[in-house]
Amino acid sequence: MADVQQWTGEKAARLQDAFEMTQEEFAGKLGVSVRSVASWRANPSMVPQPETQRILDTTLGLAGDAVRRRFIHLARAAAPQPAAQALRVAIAVVRRGGDVLLVCRQDGDDITWQFPAGIVKPGGNAPKVAVRETLDETGVHCMVREHLGERLHPVTRAFCDYFICDYVHGEAVNGDASENVAVAWAPIAELSRFIPTDRIYPPILTALEATV
């Protein structure tokens, strides 16, 4: 249906476009001033007066099917779209004595060492995702000790939640060969050999240094 609950400048301009008329032609059809028609396009959020609302209703109601179809198409195309949500990822920094748990991922020709991580679905619980994905990826059971913070990752543009986790039990194994090349306990003192320091979220370094 093309019925309009409330006309705005935006919708009135779309009706003009649907009729494929100039401002002068559309003003003449409605019986309003050209200035009024121009103001609708210049101020999309404005709400015309009640009398003008009725004129627009009548004009749309008497329009042919082709005009009404064009109006519906144009109005839908102009409607604001919901903003896409950034991908949210929970990252587990699992420490065991002087070591930290890492996974080695292969992305095309690139091989990179990273902390275990998992995607958090809308409404999901980030700490639980961090623990579950660590177990699935590495076979290591851990528990969250502290939320280190969150940021929009400068490279991936994913929204990251970081958690420092304590090792509970389990042998480190590659539980996801489709994504990971290897799993390893890396010495915290030599972490920069695996991940460049400038790519590590600073609170992670602070938390790990406190355990060395």
Side-chain angles (χ1 to χ4, degrees), residues 84-89 118-120 151-153 156-160:
Q85 290 187 336
L87 180 69
R88 191 179 186 94
V89 178
I119 295 173
V120 182
R151 69 166 175 172
L152 187 65
H153 197 281
T156 66
R157 308 308 293 172
F159 190 82
C160 299

Side-chain angles (χ1 to χ4, degrees), residues 78-125:
Q81 300 299 313
Q85 290 187 336
L87 180 69
R88 191 179 186 94
V89 178
I91 298 174
V93 183
V94 185
R95 59 191 179 189
R96 184 187 66 176
D99 297 331
V100 62
L101 185 63
L102 299 178
V103 297
C104 184
R105 302 193 194 282
Q106 182 162 2
D107 183 9
D109 294 331
D110 296 329
I111 294 178
T112 59
W113 287 95
Q114 304 173 16
F115 301 106
I119 295 173
V120 182
K121 296 179 180 179
N125 183 294

Side-chain angles (χ1 to χ4, degrees), residues 8-203:
T8 61
E10 172 72 30
K11 293 175 183 176
R14 296 290 77 79
L15 183 58
Q16 177 195 338
D17 294 339
F19 274 103
E20 299 179 334
M21 291 180 170
T22 65
Q23 290 186 358
E24 290 76 10
E25 291 170 338
F26 193 52
K29 184 175 185 63
L30 298 181
V32 301
S33 69
V34 175
R35 178 179 295 179
S36 293
V37 175
S39 69
W40 297 336
R41 197 169 292 276
N43 301 284
S45 62
M46 72 170 294
V47 178
Q49 295 296 318
E51 178 60 27
T52 304
Q53 295 267 344
R54 287 190 286 272
I55 292 172
L56 290 165
D57 282 338
T58 299
T59 303
L60 177 59
L62 296 176
D65 288 342
V67 171
R68 290 171 68 85
R69 284 196 297 270
R70 281 197 296 272
F71 174 73
I72 292 172
H73 173 75
L74 292 167
R76 286 176 177 171
Q81 300 299 313
Q85 290 187 336
L87 180 69
R88 191 179 186 94
V89 178
I91 298 174
V93 183
V94 185
R95 59 191 179 189
R96 184 187 66 176
D99 297 331
V100 62
L101 185 63
L102 299 178
V103 297
C104 184
R105 302 193 194 282
Q106 182 162 2
D107 183 9
D109 294 331
D110 296 329
I111 294 178
T112 59
W113 287 95
Q114 304 173 16
F115 301 106
I119 295 173
V120 182
K121 296 179 180 179
N125 183 294
K128 288 183 178 179
V129 170
V131 170
R132 183 182 68 241
E133 290 298 319
T134 298
L135 177 60
D136 291 345
E137 285 193 302
T138 71
V140 169
H141 293 262
C142 67
M143 60 184 297
V144 171
R145 173 174 291 275
E146 182 183 356
H147 181 219
L148 294 177
E150 55 192 32
R151 69 166 175 172
L152 187 65
H153 197 281
V155 176
T156 66
R157 308 308 293 172
F159 190 82
C160 299
D161 261 318
Y162 297 89
F163 300 91
I164 195 77
C165 302
D166 292 331
Y167 168 80
V168 178
H169 65 85
E171 295 296 327
V173 296
N174 187 0
D176 190 353
S178 63
E179 288 193 12
N180 301 330
V181 177
V183 172
W185 288 103
I188 294 173
E190 300 177 16
L191 182 57
S192 61
R193 288 178 45 207
F194 297 84
I195 307 175
T197 302
D198 60 359
R199 288 179 50 191
I200 302 175
Y201 184 49

